[in-house]
Amino acid sequence: MLNAKPLLDAPQRLRRLRPVVSHGRLVIGRAVKPADKAEVQTAADGAKKPGKDGAKKQDNKVAQSASSPEEIRDIRLKKAEDLRGQGLEPYAYGFDRTHFTKDLQELYAELPAGAEDEGAVPVAVAGRVVAKRVMGKLAFLSLRDDKGQIQLYVDRNRLDACQPDGFSAVKGLVDVGDIVGCSGTVKRTEKGELSVVATGLRVLTKSLLPLPDKWHGLSDVEKRYRQRYLDLIMTAEVRDTFRARSRIISTLRRQLEERGFIEVETPVLESVAGGADARPFRTFHNSLGRDLTLRIATELHLKRLVVGGFERVFELGRVFRNEGLSSRHNPEFTSVEIYQAFADYNDMMTLTEELIRACALEVRGSAQVSYQGVPIDFSQPFRRVTMAELVREATGLDFEEKMAAAREAAAAGGDGGGAAAVLEETRAAAEAAILAHPDKEVRKSLAKVRSAPSLGHLLNELFEAVGEAGCVQPTFVCEHPLEISPLAKPHRTKPGVTERFELFIYGREHANAFSELTDPVDQRTRFEAQVARHNAAFAERQKAKLEAQAAGQEAPADSEDEYEVALDSDFITALEYGMPPTGGLGIGVDRLVMLLTDSPSIRDVIAFPTMN
Amino acid sequence: MRRAAQLWFSSLRVITNRIASEGQHLPTAAALRPACSTWQTAWRVADLWHRDYTRMATDNYVLPEQWSEDLKDEKGEPMSKSEFKRRQKAQRVAAEKAEKEAAKAAAAAAAPPKPAKEDGPALEDDSNEITDPTAYFENRVRYINAKKAKGVNPYPHKFHVSMSLPDYIAKYGSLESGQQETESTVSVAGRIFSKRASGSKLLFYDLKADGVKIQIMADARNSELSLEAFTAVHNECKRGDIVGVEGFPGKSKKGELSIFPRKFVLLSPCLHMPPSAHFGLKDQETRYRQRYLDLIVNSDVRSIFQTRSRIIQFVRRFLDTRGFLEVETPMMNMIPGGAAARPFITHHNDLDMKLYMRIAPELFLKMLVIGGLERVYEIGRQFRNEGIDLTHNPEFTTCEFYQAYADYKDLLDMTETMVSQMVLELKGSYKIQYHPEGPEKPAIEIDFTPPWRRISMVSGLEECLGIKLPTDLESEEARQLLADLCVKHNVNCPAPQTTARLLDKLVGEFLEEQCVNPTFICDHPQLMSPLAKWHRELPNMTERFELFINKREVCNAYTELNDPIKQRELFQDQAKAKSAGDDEAMFIDDNFCTALEYGLPPTGGWGMGIDRMTMLLTDTCNIKEVLLFPAMKPEENGPKKEGDS
């Protein structure tokens, strides 16, 4: 199966992409050569930092001999005191920046090597020092800000002329990791490096902890997520990922607003969790003395708004599911749900194509992208294929035929034995197909196939087992069985299936959409069937648990379905007031960002993922 | 005339009730929930409204006793057996009704009622609505079941809409009275708000969508259908239904913009009697619990949420153009940081871990600034486990932004610019009318013209009270002085009477009261502001401001405290306050302190309550008015029935 690669791949991938220096981009293009005999300090604080006076020399000796973060912290705390002693607050209040470094790089792109723009008004830049070298009367700092990086060229004579003792402060009190502000003129060095020649330089925020020595290829990948701020400082790709995330979301918003959709906010805390089949988080509201659940989908509230006359609505926001963590699952994730009155699932397919294509163009500049080395093409209309067709391709089992046979058997009357026989016969064939499958993962789904309560469930289980993984290029898998689609409208011509699709890319579900079920009578029947089935199974397991306990045996393990569900009858009342024919679409934003930023895990695209 | 209509109505109700009871065998009708809260009010309202109308039936046609193959109707068209039966039934109905009327008339000794005409293929309209909500509902459920039984889907999958109603009005609004563009074909869709029949071939509907309305002039002569089918289609359609219309544009002779349908499709029937457009839906509980009804009936509600959406859009655009990056930080955390409030607690089953719903995104956003994203913002939901009142909902929306190298002075200016431009763009003026105590009470004017007044908190209070507060606010002496002031001025401060809480109460009483027009209260003492940076000039104060409008806090901002040592100390003080019984004191977040040790650039941070801003710009004084689905107390014994009261 083409599932996400394990998490450990992430740093390996980063290493592969940037094999040059261990500190990544911390060292500016022109790599530092030890032969320069310069005093080099990069992200790690182990380097030599001879100070001006004896005391500092001693500090630095300590730093050299033993550079545990705690000791470095003590030294830097002392430097902060020294700065205060000189009347310089080590935690400044602000800084008037005139340019981002990127602006300067663009403004002075034509400046020849060796030239200095002396006539110009001084510029002021600010950012984090990510590398530092001192060579006699010169010091070079690499300064990084939000948009890029530039070199600070610190010439003792020129700095001291404007800021007495400035150079020694840079030498002794500025560490890699500090936030500094620097004013000066722009010059390109002989070696071609655009620089700001410092005529003023001061520490704006004294950092106390050294930036990590080794970050990329860190064996403890979790540290990257737990201390995301370090990950952002150390890795350009991580910063790019979150910028891309923001642009994708803003593209989705813009595209929808251009089409006349209005963005709304519906409750996160609700009394009945509906709109999906998932275990909700529970909480308690003290003053109301009331149990609440966190929403698992925004669907039912948004549809109420369509009933209320908002014909095009969407909500882009967080939903919560009380499930385990994986490379594709985080307990809180971002989805966009879109509802358009007088549209159907065909319109939603077109909308999906347009939205995803627009996002790809925005962040990748092309509708053809690659994900984990696999080219994915969004430029063409996506493939449209029915679920039954995909299962037939994979197993030879024709569910349309089986469903028709079951209907005929049911129509022929009797005790329903005929339809049951069709189910069992199909199940036997399905089990055989699963057992014969070469992939061990596929064979794991046998239990689910065995327990499928209906032909529709069976079809879905088979599709998940053998069909999903093959959908690498964008594929609309359509016409899900009625039994597994309680909110979708029955297909207008084909019995037993719904007007629904799921979008699969790289074997993963990215979107889910239907012609919304608008018939309240049908909706109630389907909800009741779903609730009854779910709660009966839950009660059975609870009973088994109690019996096992009574017998002194070990209770069976909790399954994912260990929760009760309830029916949102107010939603049905809303439908009874009449909802126009409506197309609804949900897109998993995190997975879309994964796809378009070539990130293997959902944790790479959530700034602060949930950690164990 | 009025009276006659009323009599006619009461008879109709009896009949429909009878029909309804016959229909009890239908399982779906019985299974569907019976009368819910709104229609109890709705039907009374609708009933009243109907009394303003009388029914107009004009044709004179005598139905024979027996159906025959060659039976013709009043137009000379052949009549089907089912139509004959329908008419027969209608006659029976008319007879019963006449009986009833006679009885009533006799009882009341009133003038003899006009014999109602109930012949011909009558077009039904609002005036013959069933007035009992249960009967109404069951009747309609029976109708959709009958359709399904015939293999007709009462909920069509798709209706192609070629033009939205606002576009329709924009395009055809300038037609002359009586002008019709019969060559054009347009399809529109929406909800029926009223239905009036005029004779047997003409119907007028009000069709609403996207907050606007046009008229449907359904004339049998324009329809693709036979008169019989036309009558059938239109008699199926009731007030509240969603319909699709394909036809040509034009204006009625009276100048009303209309669509003249060739095709008329019922897309989604409204099974309940809708509240009358005439009397509206006023009950607050119902309005909030069934917001969809509120939106259908009360058109100004829709505009509140449009304004809300525009406010958020404005803030986004304002920040986006200034190079800010929108981010998302966790809503569930191990520690609820960034503010002082009681959090919601939940539990992750798989990890078997206690989690708190966030009370503010502040600490995470600052960590992103440490990570080098110099300008970030998040617009999103916060959660506080507190009581519900006019300005508090357990979940609410804020915008927080953080800008490296800016301080609170920069943010003062930025706030003035943002909010005043927002008001100007949305309201067309810097000055707005606001009803702080509701629409019935007097309005005030709020003037957003910049610059706004700035009050330094402690000196402002000193001036106001004519006292001098000690420099060392942390001392017991200062605390005692404040406590005495509270007693003296009759300001209630519940225990624990910490200096911060006492000050907060006094400021609320004496300074916030002055802040009707936008006013900044600045320079809060450090002990009230554990995340703000100490003031560069005023000892023991911080570089912080809160923006008050209409005496309510709308924004809160400060130069961020970025000295990790100082931050830890202030967190320790909070921990002390917490153990001393102040359950609103902050939790300590050690991870955040560690992050600060890697260096947070000088940063200005800012937060705005989107709900409160929306209240100001929509002239509402209850937060529930600006939340689509506000948190409500659980209904006692199921849905409340106003009709019972």
Side-chain angles (χ1 to χ4, degrees):
Chain A
M1 286 229 294
L2 275 165
N3 267 333
K5 292 181 184 167
L7 283 176
L8 279 175
D9 272 10
Q12 284 164 5
R13 181 173 61 88
L14 295 171
R15 259 211 310 273
R16 203 167 58 235
L17 285 170
R18 301 187 298 94
V20 188
V21 282
S22 69
H23 299 304
R25 300 205 176 153
L26 294 180
V27 180
I28 47 178
R30 191 165 51 93
V32 179
K33 292 182 204 119
D36 281 355
K37 286 189 182 171
E39 296 152 18
V40 180
Q41 191 192 8
T42 58
D45 264 34
K48 287 173 258 170
K49 294 173 286 185
K52 195 178 177 186
D53 53 50
K56 287 223 180 63
K57 263 182 193 146
Q58 219 164 8
D59 286 346
N60 285 302
K61 272 179 194 153
V62 174
Q64 277 172 291
S65 57
S67 49
S68 78
E70 290 72 25
E71 283 161 322
I72 292 169
R73 186 173 179 276
D74 287 343
I75 294 165
R76 292 191 176 192
L77 267 174
K78 192 153 187 319
K79 290 182 184 177
E81 282 310 304
D82 289 352
L83 284 166
R84 277 205 177 104
Q86 295 176 23
L88 298 168
E89 173 55 49
Y91 299 97
Y93 283 83
F95 185 78
D96 287 327
R97 163 159 64 193
T98 59
H99 295 82
F100 282 103
T101 55
K102 183 166 168 263
D103 300 339
L104 291 180
Q105 298 284 6
E106 283 166 10
L107 266 171
Y108 293 96
E110 305 297 315
L111 192 71
E116 184 171 342
D117 182 25
E118 283 171 47
V121 190
V123 298
V125 292
R128 195 180 288 275
V129 176
V130 292
K132 177 186 166 191
R133 292 178 298 136
V134 180
M135 309 165 77
K137 288 179 178 180
L138 286 177
F140 300 95
L141 308 181
S142 297
L143 180 91
R144 195 173 63 222
D145 65 14
D146 194 65
K147 303 205 168 143
Q149 198 161 310
I150 203 161
Q151 174 168 270
L152 304 183
Y153 182 103
V154 191
D155 177 327
R156 186 165 88 184
N157 294 336
R158 290 181 65 176
L159 179 59
D160 285 359
C162 305
Q163 187 180 317
D165 288 333
F167 189 77
S168 65
V170 170
K171 241 174 106 174
L173 298 178
V174 175
D175 292 301
V176 164
D178 289 355
I179 308 284
V180 302
C182 174
S183 53
T185 50
V186 179
K187 159 186 178 154
R188 194 177 292 281
T189 62
E190 295 294 343
K191 291 184 178 171
E193 189 72 32
L194 192 73
S195 311
V196 174
V197 182
T199 51
L201 198 154
R202 62 163 303 194
V203 173
L204 300 177
T205 298
K206 185 69 202 158
S207 68
L208 299 183
L209 290 173
L211 292 176
D213 196 357
K214 281 183 184 160
W215 192 256
H216 311 114
L218 202 64
S219 57
D220 182 11
V221 248
E222 297 226 331
K223 201 173 158 68
R224 287 183 42 220
Y225 306 128
R226 287 187 198 279
Q227 289 183 290
R228 179 67 87 187
Y229 50 91
L230 285 180
D231 200 24
L232 284 163
I233 295 172
M234 303 304 286
T235 320
E237 282 80 358
V238 173
R239 294 192 295 277
D240 292 344
T241 294
F242 289 102
R243 292 208 178 89
R245 181 181 177 109
S246 178
R247 279 159 66 204
I248 288 167
I249 288 174
S250 129
T251 304
L252 287 170
R253 278 207 169 91
R254 204 171 51 244
Q255 289 284 327
L256 289 168
E257 280 164 5
E258 278 170 9
R259 288 170 175 77
F261 286 86
I262 181 171
E263 183 166 9
V264 295
E265 292 162 280
T266 67
V268 168
L269 301 168
E270 42 186 24
S271 46
V272 186
D277 195 4
R279 177 188 225 155
F281 282 97
R282 298 191 181 285
T283 187
F284 184 76
H285 188 254
N286 297 34
S287 82
L288 289 184
R290 179 181 188 190
D291 281 315
L292 294 169
T293 58
L294 306 193
R295 68 180 177 197
I296 52 174
T298 48
E299 174 150 358
L300 302 190
H301 277 111
L302 291 176
K303 287 202 223 173
R304 282 170 169 91
L305 296 178
V306 179
V307 171
F310 280 116
E311 292 185 0
R312 295 183 177 202
V313 288
F314 74 100
E315 178 162 16
L316 203 162
R318 220 70 61 82
V319 277
F320 306 83
R321 299 193 181 171
N322 199 340
E323 293 164 353
L325 311 177
S326 85
S327 63
R328 283 170 300 159
H329 296 91
N330 194 62
E332 53 179 302
F333 59 100
T334 302
S335 77
V336 59
E337 285 196 29
I338 303 156
Y339 293 84
Q340 181 181 348
F342 309 110
D344 62 9
Y345 81 135
N346 293 308
D347 300 309
M348 292 298 108
M349 286 194 228
T350 314
L351 180 62
T352 310
E353 284 174 352
E354 289 171 359
L355 289 177
I356 293 185
R357 202 171 289 140
C359 289
L361 284 170
E362 170 70 25
V363 297
R364 299 287 282 266
S366 162
Q368 284 153 314
V369 307
S370 94
Y371 181 70
Q372 304 295 292
V374 178
I376 308 274
D377 188 356
F378 298 119
S379 63
Q380 304 301 315
F382 303 171
R383 183 186 176 200
R384 300 180 183 195
V385 58
T386 68
M387 186 182 267
E389 174 68 20
L390 278 175
V391 168
R392 201 173 56 80
E393 273 175 18
T395 64
L397 267 169
D398 188 340
F399 269 80
E400 289 188 23
E401 202 176 84
K402 302 288 180 195
M403 285 171 161
R407 271 195 308 279
E408 261 169 46
D415 52 359
V422 175
L423 172 61
E424 289 320 314
E425 175 205 319
T426 316
R427 191 196 307 279
E431 282 180 28
I434 293 281
L435 281 172
H437 204 280
D439 190 332
K440 206 172 93 199
E441 286 300 311
V442 171
R443 293 201 297 274
K444 278 186 188 162
S445 55
L446 193 63
K448 282 185 167 176
V449 167
R450 281 193 174 140
S451 62
S454 72
L455 269 180
H457 284 90
L458 187 60
L459 170 58
N460 187 49
E461 293 300 346
L462 267 185
F463 166 70
E464 284 183 8
V466 301
E468 274 185 17
C471 303
V472 175
Q473 290 306 314
T475 308
F476 291 122
V477 178
C478 306
E479 298 175 14
H480 295 54
L482 206 63
E483 296 93 324
I484 61 155
S485 314
L487 293 159
K489 211 167 213 174
H491 195 279
R492 62 193 82 180
T493 55
K494 299 184 185 175
V497 296
T498 55
E499 295 204 345
R500 175 180 176 187
F501 71 81
E502 287 177 298
L503 171 62
F504 280 85
I505 306 168
Y506 196 74
R508 287 177 192 160
E509 184 201 335
H510 278 266
N512 184 19
F514 352 113
S515 299
E516 299 298 332
L517 181 58
T518 50
D519 177 347
V521 179
D522 194 4
Q523 184 68 82
R524 181 178 289 269
T525 313
R526 292 215 236 159
F527 269 169
E528 280 171 352
Q530 187 197 18
V531 168
R533 197 163 49 229
H534 184 105
N535 289 353
F538 174 65
E540 195 125 301
R541 281 193 302 272
Q542 293 298 98
K543 204 176 126 200
K545 223 182 251 182
L546 286 176
E547 277 168 4
Q549 259 170 10
Q553 293 159 348
E554 201 179 318
D558 259 14
S559 89
E560 285 267 305
D561 298 337
E562 226 55 28
Y563 56 95
E564 271 192 273
V565 296
L567 189 147
D568 187 343
S569 57
D570 178 66
F571 170 67
I572 295 175
T573 305
L575 284 191
E576 286 169 2
Y577 278 95
M579 175 162 123
T582 298
L585 164 66
I587 298 176
V589 171
D590 308 283
R591 289 188 185 177
L592 181 61
V593 176
M594 282 168 70
L595 185 72
L596 295 180
T597 57
D598 199 10
S599 304
S601 167
I602 196 167
R603 294 183 184 198
D604 296 324
V605 301
I606 293 178
F608 301 96
T610 305
M611 303 299 291
N612 199 341
Chain B
M1 195 125 142
R2 223 182 135 89
R3 175 148 209 113
Q6 196 174 339
L7 289 172
W8 189 88
F9 251 89
S10 39
S11 64
L12 184 74
R13 201 186 310 166
V14 172
I15 295 154
T16 47
N17 279 337
R18 194 170 52 75
I19 296 170
S21 57
E22 279 166 15
Q24 284 304 317
H25 66 278
L26 279 165
T28 33
L32 278 161
R33 200 173 64 171
C36 74
S37 53
T38 40
W39 12 303
Q40 294 281 348
T41 355
W43 78 260
R44 278 185 303 160
V45 159
D47 192 24
L48 278 169
W49 189 46
H50 289 133
R51 291 172 196 193
D52 292 338
Y53 286 83
T54 51
R55 197 155 168 284
M56 292 190 282
T58 49
D59 295 308
N60 286 308
Y61 174 80
V62 180
L63 197 70
E65 298 229 343
Q66 290 287 319
W67 180 75
S68 58
E69 288 285 348
D70 56 349
L71 179 59
K72 300 274 194 295
D73 69 8
E74 70 279 9
K75 297 281 156 241
E77 306 275 350
M79 188 187 290
S80 66
K81 191 163 185 174
S82 61
E83 171 65 6
F84 172 78
K85 283 191 167 168
R86 202 188 66 74
R87 293 190 185 198
Q88 221 178 16
K89 190 169 168 186
Q91 271 194 340
R92 203 171 61 235
V93 164
E96 283 182 30
K97 182 191 63 191
E99 237 177 78
K100 188 97 186 171
E101 276 174 353
K104 271 211 161 180
K114 283 187 198 170
K117 289 173 184 167
E118 189 51 37
D119 46 0
L123 282 170
E124 294 168 9
D125 67 9
D126 291 348
S127 60
N128 21 14
E129 243 175 37
I130 298 170
T131 51
D132 175 80
T134 312
Y136 188 104
F137 176 67
E138 286 173 351
N139 187 45
R140 295 230 80 191
V141 171
R142 222 173 18 245
Y143 152 72
I144 62 166
N145 282 335
K147 283 214 126 181
K148 283 181 195 169
K150 276 194 264 173
V152 180
N153 180 10
Y155 294 92
H157 286 72
K158 169 80 185 167
F159 178 81
H160 176 72
V161 175
S162 71
M163 202 178 270
S164 73
L165 286 199
D167 288 349
Y168 188 88
I169 291 169
K171 186 156 184 199
Y172 301 112
S174 55
L175 292 179
E176 301 291 322
S177 292
Q179 189 184 348
Q180 296 182 355
E181 287 200 1
T182 50
E183 299 305 303
S184 314
T185 298
V186 183
S187 52
V188 297
R191 197 182 283 274
I192 297 294
F193 274 70
S194 73
K195 178 184 180 189
R196 304 174 303 282
S198 172
S200 60
K201 295 193 196 69
L202 186 59
L203 283 140
F204 299 94
Y205 294 95
D206 280 345
L207 180 75
K208 268 198 194 175
D210 290 329
V212 295
K213 184 181 86 178
I214 63 164
Q215 178 171 264
I216 303 172
M217 240 176 115
D219 189 327
R221 284 159 294 202
N222 290 324
S223 171
E224 293 169 344
L225 303 171
S226 68
L227 181 64
E228 183 194 334
F230 174 86
T231 309
V233 162
H234 284 280
N235 279 354
E236 279 174 0
C237 175
K238 305 246 178 283
R239 205 162 57 84
D241 290 354
I242 306 278
V243 300
V245 178
E246 189 187 288
F248 56 88
K251 273 196 178 164
S252 69
K253 290 208 176 71
K254 285 181 181 169
E256 185 127 12
L257 180 60
S258 308
I259 184 164
F260 297 81
R262 294 202 170 90
K263 213 182 258 172
F264 183 96
V265 192
L266 178 50
L267 299 174
S268 190
C270 176
L271 304 185
H272 295 295
M273 182 183 299
S276 156
H278 193 70
F279 288 89
L281 173 64
K282 300 280 183 246
D283 179 72
Q284 278 204 339
E285 284 274 311
T286 312
R287 286 188 47 229
Y288 302 142
R289 286 188 199 279
Q290 291 182 287
R291 181 67 88 182
Y292 48 91
L293 276 182
D294 191 29
L295 285 164
I296 292 171
V297 178
N298 300 319
S299 50
D300 47 335
V301 173
R302 181 188 174 85
S303 66
I304 288 177
F305 294 101
Q306 281 167 332
T307 302
R308 183 184 174 105
S309 179
R310 287 179 66 198
I311 288 171
I312 295 175
Q313 256 178 359
F314 182 94
V315 173
R316 266 206 182 97
R317 205 172 55 237
F318 185 90
L319 294 172
D320 288 345
T321 54
R322 283 163 177 77
F324 283 82
L325 192 74
E326 183 168 9
V327 296
E328 292 161 280
T329 66
M331 290 195 183
M332 295 193 299
N333 303 307
M334 311 274 280
I335 298 164
R342 184 192 291 195
F344 280 98
I345 301 168
T346 186
H347 184 259
H348 190 288
N349 290 54
D350 208 52
L351 302 177
D352 193 15
M353 186 163 77
K354 181 176 169 182
L355 290 168
Y356 296 95
M357 300 303 290
R358 72 174 175 196
I359 51 176
E362 172 156 352
L363 305 188
F364 283 105
L365 291 173
K366 285 197 255 193
M367 286 200 259
L368 293 178
V369 178
I370 293 169
L373 304 178
E374 292 181 357
R375 296 181 179 192
V376 291
Y377 73 100
E378 179 164 15
I379 297 178
R381 221 68 62 82
Q382 318 304 333
F383 307 87
R384 299 194 182 172
N385 201 341
E386 291 163 356
I388 297 173
D389 63 29
L390 286 180
T391 51
H392 294 90
N393 194 64
E395 53 182 302
F396 57 101
T397 302
T398 64
C399 172
E400 288 199 11
F401 76 71
Y402 292 82
Q403 178 178 354
Y405 310 109
D407 62 12
Y408 87 131
K409 292 179 191 165
D410 298 316
L411 299 192
L412 279 163
D413 296 341
M414 214 164 141
T415 309
E416 260 175 19
T417 309
M418 182 201 276
V419 176
S420 62
Q421 280 184 8
M422 181 196 291
V423 171
L424 191 61
E425 183 175 310
L426 268 70
K427 308 296 285 186
S429 160
Y430 283 130
K431 294 175 185 174
I432 66 166
Q433 293 291 307
Y434 185 78
H435 294 78
E437 292 165 77
E440 292 84 18
K441 299 283 172 59
I444 55 166
E445 184 183 82
I446 302 179
D447 186 354
F448 288 85
T449 312
W452 300 337
R453 189 178 166 206
R454 300 176 183 189
I455 306 174
S456 188
M457 181 185 275
V458 170
S459 52
L461 199 59
E462 286 175 339
E463 194 180 310
C464 218
L465 299 175
I467 44 123
K468 180 90 189 100
L469 289 171
T471 322
D472 183 9
L473 282 169
E474 311 248 358
S475 64
E476 173 56 25
E477 175 208 352
R479 198 197 66 80
Q480 195 53 55
L481 178 71
L482 290 166
D484 294 345
L485 280 169
C486 277
V487 172
K488 181 181 166 195
H489 294 286
N490 217 3
V491 175
N492 179 34
C493 178
Q497 292 198 338
T498 59
T499 311
R501 287 168 60 92
L502 288 163
L503 256 175
D504 187 55
K505 297 291 170 202
L506 287 168
V507 168
E509 189 72 19
F510 294 99
L511 294 186
E512 293 173 16
E513 278 300 304
Q514 306 174 18
C515 306
V516 174
N517 285 333
T519 307
F520 295 110
I521 296 182
C522 308
D523 312 330
H524 301 50
Q526 184 81 66
L527 49 81
M528 296 175 87
S529 317
L531 294 164
K533 197 161 182 166
W534 66 95
H535 201 284
R536 67 193 89 176
E537 283 146 13
L538 306 171
N540 298 321
M541 303 302 156
T542 57
E543 297 201 339
R544 175 181 176 188
F545 68 83
E546 289 176 292
L547 170 64
F548 283 84
I549 309 172
N550 182 38
K551 305 174 191 173
R552 282 198 195 121
E553 182 200 341
V554 176
C555 295
N556 182 19
Y558 29 91
T559 307
E560 298 297 331
L561 178 56
N562 60 347
D563 178 343
I565 307 299
K566 182 89 177 154
Q567 183 66 78
R568 275 187 206 274
E569 280 170 18
L570 293 177
F571 273 155
Q572 294 302 336
D573 293 347
Q574 290 290 308
K576 263 183 245 159
K578 210 170 196 56
S579 58
D582 185 355
D583 64 354
E584 286 185 359
M586 282 186 198
F587 287 77
I588 301 180
D589 189 335
D590 209 52
N591 283 333
F592 172 67
C593 292
T594 304
L596 279 188
E597 297 191 343
Y598 284 96
L600 170 69
T603 297
W606 182 95
M608 171 191 263
I610 296 288
D611 309 281
R612 291 191 181 175
M613 197 65 229
T614 308
M615 287 165 69
L616 283 166
L617 297 191
T618 57
D619 194 7
T620 50
C621 53
N622 183 345
I623 193 170
K624 289 189 171 73
E625 293 291 345
V626 300
L627 297 167
L628 280 164
F629 302 96
M632 302 291 286
K633 292 191 180 71
E635 288 177 282
E636 281 165 28
N637 308 319
K640 196 179 115 204
K641 293 178 184 170
E642 289 91 32
D644 298 345
S645 59

